[in-house]
């Protein structure tokens, strides 16, 4: 059997081959050596070998093993099949090592068994030719060397607390010892995080600081060991594209696999992004991940706390507390048991006494004395408790007096009564009534502060006044306060509830952002606007009542309020900002008030539990990704007032079954309904003139579609991957069909293109496997291979019109 040309997996060069008698190919460009299938392997064997190689490359090791096993069954002498099975068993993937210009074996799992003792590897050697055997042996030695180096590191006692995963180089090189001038901004951030964790007593792993000149198998052994021992992983990333680069993806995929196998804690991986939120990794079955915004001033604290919560020290502390509690319970049980024993002993003595008259008389005396003693003890106990209460009251009064004195001594207060800075370390603080204004950052990052009572003299709370007070659990805001400025309580992570008095007229931007323990809040009727990010990240907030006079809800105001289940927005509201309720994962239904004219971009995106939405007749436009990712949304009614649906507005609404677009809609944006995999029927109004790129891509349940008479152009990927689409009725006015517009519509059987069509992009009907009848203008006859790429052209009956 003659070989086809092979493409080098290392450099991409084409390797010419005429026969495969020696079973080995050399790349003349980079020197890489590859083993190839035997000459007597037929096309079916080659097919399964290709599937197996693809699955190894994409880390689908179980599927890879199955494919190689089928190849070995079809040809019991095919050494490549047994070699592939051995790699799949040991979960070995080959990734390009740019530094050493070679393919590097990556071990996704540590195996204490020798690779060279594996039965499938030995079968591969038995079936291989001389040159193949040499190559198999060399690669097997590399894999076992990595295993041996792993064991040496394990015996050294080295352990890591945190693995820092990051794209290091701007030039594509991802190994250690890259010159800093080629580093990405993320790599510089990772370097700073490494130093931060070192200063706080942790042992972090960052390849550029830890590997120090290792390469090839040495490098891989160190990476593998760090992944296995690290308790946490920080994926430092500011650009989602970086998450798709091979080395970065390889590292976090292996760590996620360890989490899946319960070798790491469930929440031990987080993403450190920079400004723009990144909360998902591009791998299968991956849910949303809570991240840390490195652009925020409290990021360093959040990173240290994240690592600390997963270290053996933290676990030991929790175990020690549990042990102490168990010991106390055991001690109480022992005391109870001892008391019961003494009572039983007394009962036994009484029951076994003689019953003479004298003895009875003695018993009566003993009983009276016992009662008298018990009464005396009761009175003495009451007196001790009274004295203790009085002492506690005196102590409390004295403590409050000292706290006020300490407050005055540790505070800077200006002549106009503004508290400039509090420098004390009190847990429970009573602010003096000489204070009229809580100044900007007055209590910023007061870590010890647990409760605060503000006096009636306070009129305003300044910017970031209590920001970063992560132990603050409660605060009393008096009726004298009229304004709460931006970021006033930002990142008060322990704050559970707060009552805002009726005197407050405005809540600033990010006022309660990051208050992750806040479960209830009362917003008074005096509030007319809620600032941007006001409650962003309040993950414990379950419900909220808006006042009837509220007019606007700012951008990002309730984003990431993941416990929020229901909201009632009053009709007084005329604007809801972008991202206002984004990522409210438990929000089930929402009624948009009548005063809303535009549903802004990302307003309700990724509300995964959202089942129903009521859109009023006042709405004229639905913004970009407004309901994107609402994968529980089954139906929605778009009123006749809507004139535009922006791009990705309903993208990935996987449960949406049907939708009617009214005639008032003049434009539908790109990818507006992409990924609506349950969408069975769709009515496109005659008002639409362009179907834009990817508009209905991935609507795999859509069975038929009628293109309205006024449509003149169908964009790229407009109906791609509509796998159940059986019929398409195109109007005669369509003059342009974009590339891949109907690709992978595997159930499409016939298509008619009018003579008005002047442009058809490449792959417009690519991989439409069941296409049998095509009517099209004769001028496209020469282009049909490009247009119908991947289709069975011999089975298609082409009718050409002049």
């Amino acid at each position: 059997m003659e070989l086809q040309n092979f493409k080098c997996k290392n450099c991409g060069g084409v390797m010419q081959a005429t026969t495969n008698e020696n079973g080995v190919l050399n790349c003349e460009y980079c020197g890489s050596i590859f083993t190839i299938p035997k000459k007597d392997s037929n096309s079916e064997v080659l097919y399964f070998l290709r599937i197996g190689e693809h699955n190894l490359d994409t880390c689908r090791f179980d599927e890879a093993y199955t494919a190689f096993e089928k190849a070995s069954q079809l040809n019991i002498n095919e050494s490549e099949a047994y070699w592939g099975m051995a790699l799949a068993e040991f979960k070995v993937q080959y990734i390009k090592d740019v530094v050493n210009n070679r393919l590097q074996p990556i071990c996704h799992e540590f195996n204490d068994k020798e690779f060279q003792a594996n039965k499938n590897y030995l079968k591969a050697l038995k079936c291989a030719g001389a040159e193949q055997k040499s190559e198999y042996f060399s690669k097997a030695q590399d894999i076992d060397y990595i295993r041996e180096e792993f064991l040496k590191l394990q015996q050294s006692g080295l352990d890591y607390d945190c693995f820092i995963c990051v794209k290091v180089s701007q030039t594509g090189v991802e190994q250690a010892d890259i010159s800093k001038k080629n580093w990405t901004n993320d790599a510089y951030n990772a370097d700073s995080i490494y130093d931060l964790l070192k200063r706080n007593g942790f042992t972090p792993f960052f390849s550029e600081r830890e590997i120090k000149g290792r390469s090839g198998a040495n490098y891989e052994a160190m990476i593998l060991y760090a992944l296995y021992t690290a308790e946490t992983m920080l994926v430092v990333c500011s650009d989602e594209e970086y998450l798709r680069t091979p080395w970065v993806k390889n590292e976090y995929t292996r760590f996620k696999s360890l989490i899946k196998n319960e070798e790491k804690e469930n929440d031990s991986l987080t993403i450190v992004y920079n400004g723009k939120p990144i909360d998902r990794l591009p791998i299968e079955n991956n849910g949303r991940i809570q991240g840390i915004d490195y652009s925020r001033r409290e990021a360093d604290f959040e990173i240290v706390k994240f690592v600390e919560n997963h270290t053996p020290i933290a676990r030991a502390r929790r175990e020690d507390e549990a042990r102490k509690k168990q010991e106390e319970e055991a001690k109480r049980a022992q005391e109870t048991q001892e008391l019961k024993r003494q009572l039983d002993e007394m009962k036994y003595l009484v029951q076994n006494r003689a019953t003479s008259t004298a003895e009875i008389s003695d018993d009566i005396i003993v009983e009276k004395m016992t009662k008298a003693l018990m009464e005396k003890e009761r009175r003495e106990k009451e007196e001790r408790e009274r004295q203790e209460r009085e002492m506690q009251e005196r102590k409390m009064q004295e403590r409050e007096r000292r706290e006020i004195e300490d407050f005055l001594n540790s505070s800077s207060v200006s002549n106009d009564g503004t508290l400039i800075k509090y420098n004390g370390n009190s847990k429970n603080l009573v602010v003096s009534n000489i204070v009229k204004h809580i100044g900007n950052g007055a209590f910023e990052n007061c870590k010890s502060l647990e409760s605060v009572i503000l006096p009636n003299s306070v009129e305003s709370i300044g910017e970031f006044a209590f920001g970063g007070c992560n132990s603050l659990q409660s605060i009393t805001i008096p009726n004298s306060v009229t304004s709460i400025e931006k970021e006033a309580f930002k990142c008060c992570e322990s704050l559970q509830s707060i009552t805002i008095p009726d005197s407050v007229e405005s809540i600033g931007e990010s006022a309660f952002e990051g208050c992750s323990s806040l479960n209830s809040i009362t917003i008074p009727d005096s509030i007319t606007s809620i600032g941007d990010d006001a409650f962003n990240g309040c993950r414990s907030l379950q419900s909220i009542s808006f006042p009837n006079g509220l007019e606007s809800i700012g951008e990002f105001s309730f984003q990431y309020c993941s416990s929020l289940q229901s909201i009632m927005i009053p009709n007084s509201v005329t604007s809801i900002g972008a991202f206002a309720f984004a990522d409210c994962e438990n929000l089930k239904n929402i009624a948009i008030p009548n005063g809303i004219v535009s549903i802004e971009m990302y307003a309700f995106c990724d509300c995964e539990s959202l089942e129903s939405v009521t859109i009023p007749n006042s709405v004229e436009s639905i913004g970009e990704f407004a309901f994107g990712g609402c994968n529980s949304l089954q139906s929605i009614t778009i009123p006749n007032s809507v004139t535009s649906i922006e791009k990705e507005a309903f993208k990935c609404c996987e449960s949406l079954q049907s939708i009617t677009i009214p005639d008032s809609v003049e434009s539908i944006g790109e990818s507006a309904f992409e990924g609506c995999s349950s969408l069975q029927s769709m009515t496109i109004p005659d008002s639409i003139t362009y179907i834009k790129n990817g508009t209905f891509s991935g609507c795999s349940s859509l069975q038929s579609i009628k293109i309205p008479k006024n449509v003149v152009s169908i964009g790229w990927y407009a109906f791609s991957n509509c796998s159940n689409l059986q019929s398409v009725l195109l109007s005669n006015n369509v003059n342009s069909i974009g590339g891949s517009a109907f690709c992978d519509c595997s159930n499409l059987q016939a298509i008619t293109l009018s003579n008005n069509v002047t442009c058809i992009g490449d792959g417009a009907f690519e991989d439409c496997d069941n296409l049998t009848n095509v009517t099209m203008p004769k001028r496209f006859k020469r282009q049909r291979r490009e247009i119908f790429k991947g289709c069975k052209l011999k089975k298609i009956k082409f009718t050409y019109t002049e």
Side-chain angles (χ1 to χ4, degrees):
M1 181 182 73
E2 289 194 356
L3 282 178
Q4 298 176 347
N5 293 333
F6 284 81
K7 192 174 183 180
C8 177
K9 291 183 179 180
N10 185 41
C11 69
V14 176
M15 297 180 288
Q16 303 292 334
T18 55
T19 64
N20 60 352
E21 291 176 359
N22 61 1
V24 171
L25 283 181
N26 256 305
C27 178
E28 60 182 300
Y29 305 101
C30 68
S32 297
I33 302 173
F34 298 91
T35 53
I36 56 177
K38 285 186 171 295
K39 184 178 180 180
D40 60 352
S41 286
N42 59 32
S43 58
E44 192 173 3
V45 174
L46 295 175
Y47 170 74
F48 283 115
L49 289 176
R50 283 196 297 271
I51 291 175
E53 289 176 4
H54 173 73
N55 286 329
L56 281 181
D57 290 341
T58 54
C59 304
R60 295 184 175 94
F61 298 108
D62 291 340
E63 292 91 333
Y65 187 92
T66 301
F68 286 124
E69 187 177 38
K70 287 181 179 177
S72 71
Q73 291 167 355
L74 292 168
N75 185 349
I76 60 173
N77 294 316
E78 178 50 72
S79 58
E80 282 291 274
Y82 297 115
W83 172 249
M85 290 163 70
L87 293 177
E89 276 188 87
F90 276 71
K91 292 182 170 54
V92 177
Q93 176 196 20
Y94 279 86
I95 287 182
K96 184 174 181 179
D97 176 354
V98 183
V99 170
N100 298 291
N101 193 28
R102 56 168 283 183
L103 292 174
Q104 167 68 35
I106 304 298
C107 301
H108 282 256
E109 241 180 48
F110 173 69
N111 196 327
D112 57 358
K113 299 177 182 178
E114 287 190 23
F115 185 86
Q116 293 174 82
N118 179 265
K119 63 179 182 179
N120 285 311
Y121 166 70
L122 295 174
K123 284 183 182 179
L125 290 180
K126 184 177 180 181
C127 298
E131 292 188 38
Q132 277 184 312
K133 280 183 180 178
S134 176
E135 187 61 21
Y136 289 150
F137 181 72
S138 175
K139 290 179 177 178
Q141 281 187 315
D142 278 352
I143 295 168
D144 276 338
Y145 179 79
I146 291 169
R147 183 184 63 83
E148 290 167 6
E149 287 299 300
F150 185 99
L151 286 171
K152 288 179 184 177
L153 289 166
Q154 194 174 49
Q155 290 165 2
S156 72
L158 175 66
D159 277 323
Y160 290 103
D161 298 311
C162 179
F163 189 108
I164 301 174
C165 171
V166 66
K167 178 172 171 56
V168 176
S169 171
Q170 298 175 0
T171 58
V173 180
E174 295 295 344
Q175 294 268 17
D177 290 340
I178 304 301
S179 172
K180 275 197 173 185
K181 67 180 181 182
N182 291 321
W183 278 17
T184 62
N185 288 333
D186 287 343
Y188 284 105
N189 290 341
D191 199 49
S192 298
I193 291 170
Y194 176 89
D195 287 332
L196 168 72
L197 294 175
K198 277 280 191 182
R199 289 195 304 271
N200 282 273
F202 298 111
T203 309
F205 177 88
F206 173 39
S207 59
E208 303 307 302
R209 301 284 288 274
E210 291 292 310
I211 289 182
K212 298 177 182 176
R214 292 175 183 249
S215 62
N218 276 320
Y219 180 94
E220 166 56 16
M222 193 71 176
I223 290 286
L224 182 63
Y225 183 75
L227 284 168
Y228 265 78
T229 58
E231 301 288 338
T232 58
M233 173 175 277
L234 295 173
V235 181
V236 182
C237 182
S238 59
D239 185 343
E240 288 188 68
E241 285 304 310
Y242 289 172
L243 297 175
R244 294 177 173 84
T245 55
W247 285 96
V248 175
K249 187 172 183 179
N250 174 273
E251 289 173 353
Y252 67 67
T253 301
R254 287 198 272 180
F255 197 86
K256 286 289 286 185
S257 178
L258 293 170
I259 292 175
K260 184 180 178 182
N261 294 334
E262 298 183 353
E263 295 179 56
K264 309 286 184 188
E265 294 183 359
N266 272 335
D267 58 347
S268 58
L269 182 149
T270 194
I271 300 173
V272 180
Y273 56 84
N274 204 328
K276 182 182 178 182
I278 299 174
D279 59 0
R280 287 184 188 274
L281 297 173
I283 55 179
E284 291 181 5
N285 302 319
N286 183 55
R288 186 171 283 104
I289 297 171
Q290 184 173 347
I292 297 172
D293 186 354
Y294 199 60
S295 66
R296 293 164 54 179
R297 70 181 78 186
E298 59 274 9
D300 282 359
F301 170 79
E302 292 176 354
I303 289 169
V304 171
K305 185 176 180 182
F306 171 79
V307 176
E308 183 184 58
N309 285 341
H310 293 84
T311 58
I313 295 172
R315 285 200 300 275
R317 185 177 65 246
R318 291 193 292 267
E319 289 169 1
D320 186 55
E321 290 172 354
R323 180 183 56 78
K324 286 181 179 178
K325 184 178 179 182
Q326 190 174 10
E327 287 175 353
E328 289 173 0
E329 289 175 352
K331 184 178 178 181
R332 285 196 295 270
Q334 187 177 4
E335 289 173 350
T336 302
Q337 188 67 26
E338 177 63 20
L339 181 60
K340 184 176 183 300
R341 186 192 65 77
Q342 292 175 1
L343 288 171
D344 290 341
E345 188 174 84
M346 291 175 67
K347 286 179 182 178
Y348 174 83
L349 291 172
V350 171
Q351 290 171 358
N352 288 277
R353 289 183 64 183
T355 55
S356 66
T357 305
E359 288 172 338
I360 292 172
S361 180
D362 288 342
D363 288 343
I364 293 171
I365 293 170
V366 168
E367 182 180 352
K368 287 183 178 181
M369 289 178 66
T370 301
K371 285 182 179 180
L373 286 170
M374 290 177 63
E375 180 63 18
K376 181 183 177 183
E377 288 177 359
R378 184 186 65 79
R379 287 196 300 269
E380 288 175 351
K381 181 181 178 182
E382 288 179 351
E383 179 62 17
R384 285 196 304 272
E385 288 175 348
R386 184 188 64 77
Q387 291 176 356
E388 286 177 2
R389 284 196 302 270
E390 290 178 353
M391 185 180 295
Q392 289 298 327
E393 288 174 0
R394 286 195 298 271
K395 285 182 178 180
M396 186 177 294
Q397 291 170 358
E398 180 63 17
R399 185 173 65 249
E400 288 177 356
R401 184 186 64 78
R402 285 199 308 269
E403 284 177 349
I404 292 173
E405 287 179 358
D406 290 342
F407 172 80
L408 295 174
N409 292 330
S410 58
S411 303
S412 301
V413 181
S414 66
N415 292 333
D416 66 350
T418 299
L419 175 61
I420 300 170
K421 188 65 180 176
Y422 172 72
N423 298 308
N425 55 7
S426 295
K427 289 185 177 180
N428 304 297
L429 184 65
V430 179
V431 176
S432 170
N433 58 12
I434 67 168
V435 175
K436 293 184 178 179
H437 308 282
I438 307 295
N440 297 345
F443 293 93
E444 181 179 352
N445 294 323
C446 288
K447 306 298 183 184
S448 60
L449 203 59
E450 294 180 1
S451 69
V452 176
I453 297 176
L454 299 179
N456 288 326
S457 58
V458 174
E459 299 172 1
S460 65
I461 300 173
E463 295 179 9
F464 213 72
F466 294 92
C469 295
N470 50 25
S471 298
L472 185 63
Q473 298 176 20
S474 65
I475 185 166
T476 302
I477 301 177
N479 288 323
S480 54
V481 174
T482 58
S483 67
I484 299 173
E485 301 301 332
K486 69 179 184 180
E487 302 182 343
F489 296 93
K490 187 174 181 179
C491 294
C492 291
E493 298 173 354
S494 300
L495 192 62
Q496 296 179 11
S497 65
I498 193 166
T499 299
I500 302 174
D502 290 333
S503 56
V504 175
E505 298 169 358
S506 64
I507 300 175
E509 296 176 6
S510 302
F512 298 93
E513 182 181 353
C515 294
S516 54
S517 298
L518 190 65
N519 53 50
S520 65
I521 190 163
T522 301
I523 299 178
D525 291 336
S526 53
I527 299 295
T528 57
S529 66
I530 296 175
D532 296 348
D533 291 288
F535 299 94
N536 191 333
C538 293
R539 298 181 182 275
S540 299
L541 196 61
Q542 296 181 10
S543 63
I544 192 162
S545 178
F546 295 110
N548 288 326
L550 188 66
E551 296 174 2
S552 66
I553 299 173
E555 296 180 357
F556 304 91
S557 50
F558 293 92
Q559 187 181 23
Y560 297 118
C561 290
S562 52
S563 297
L564 195 61
Q565 297 181 14
S566 64
I567 52 172
M568 289 293 293
I569 303 176
N571 285 327
S572 56
V573 173
T574 57
S575 93
I576 298 174
F579 292 88
F581 295 93
D583 298 281
C584 291
E585 299 171 1
N586 283 296
L587 190 61
K588 292 185 177 180
N589 54 69
I590 190 165
I592 297 171
N594 292 324
I596 299 296
V597 175
S598 172
I599 298 176
E600 298 297 336
M601 63 170 63
Y602 295 85
F604 301 96
C605 72
D606 291 319
C607 291
E608 296 178 352
S609 299
L610 192 63
E611 297 175 354
S612 64
V613 177
T614 303
I615 301 177
N617 287 324
S618 59
V619 173
E620 296 175 3
S621 66
I622 300 175
E624 177 183 340
F625 212 73
F627 296 96
C630 295
N631 50 29
S632 296
L633 188 62
Q634 297 180 14
S635 65
I636 191 166
T637 301
I638 299 177
N640 289 323
S641 56
V642 174
T643 58
S644 69
I645 298 173
E646 302 300 334
K647 70 177 183 178
E648 302 181 340
F650 296 93
K651 185 175 180 179
C652 295
C653 290
E654 298 171 357
S655 300
L656 193 62
Q657 297 179 8
S658 65
I659 192 165
T660 300
I661 303 174
D663 291 333
S664 58
V665 175
E666 298 170 0
S667 68
I668 302 175
E670 293 182 1
S671 301
F673 296 93
E674 181 181 346
C676 294
S677 54
S678 298
L679 192 63
Q680 298 176 3
S681 62
M682 164 67 69
T683 302
I684 304 174
D686 290 336
S687 53
I688 299 298
T689 55
Y690 295 92
I691 295 178
K692 298 180 181 178
N693 298 343
T695 303
F696 301 100
S697 175
C699 294
S700 55
S701 297
L702 197 62
Q703 297 181 8
S704 64
I705 194 75
K706 179 181 178 182
I707 306 299
K709 61 183 180 180
N710 292 324
V711 171
V712 296
S713 174
I714 298 174
W716 285 68
Y717 298 97
F719 294 94
S720 65
N721 292 298
C722 292
S723 54
N724 279 306
L725 190 62
Q726 297 176 16
S727 66
V728 176
L729 184 59
L730 295 171
S731 74
N732 290 334
N733 290 324
V734 173
N735 58 44
S736 172
I737 299 175
S740 302
F742 293 91
C743 73
D744 291 302
C745 292
S746 53
N747 277 302
L748 188 62
Q749 298 176 10
I751 192 74
T752 299
L753 307 176
S754 74
N755 277 335
N756 289 329
V757 176
T758 59
C759 177
I760 304 176
D762 286 351
F765 296 92
E766 182 178 351
D767 291 329
C768 293
D769 297 336
N770 288 311
L771 202 58
T772 55
N773 289 285
V774 174
T775 301
M776 59 188 276
K778 189 174 182 180
R779 58 179 169 273
F780 294 108
K781 185 175 181 179
R782 291 186 178 181
Q783 294 175 238
R784 65 181 187 176
R785 287 190 180 278
E786 289 76 24
I787 295 170
F788 297 94
K789 192 185 303 180
C791 297
K792 300 172 183 176
L793 296 181
K794 291 182 180 179
K795 292 186 178 181
I796 300 176
K797 180 183 177 182
F798 286 93
T799 303
Y800 300 101
T801 57
E802 295 293 334

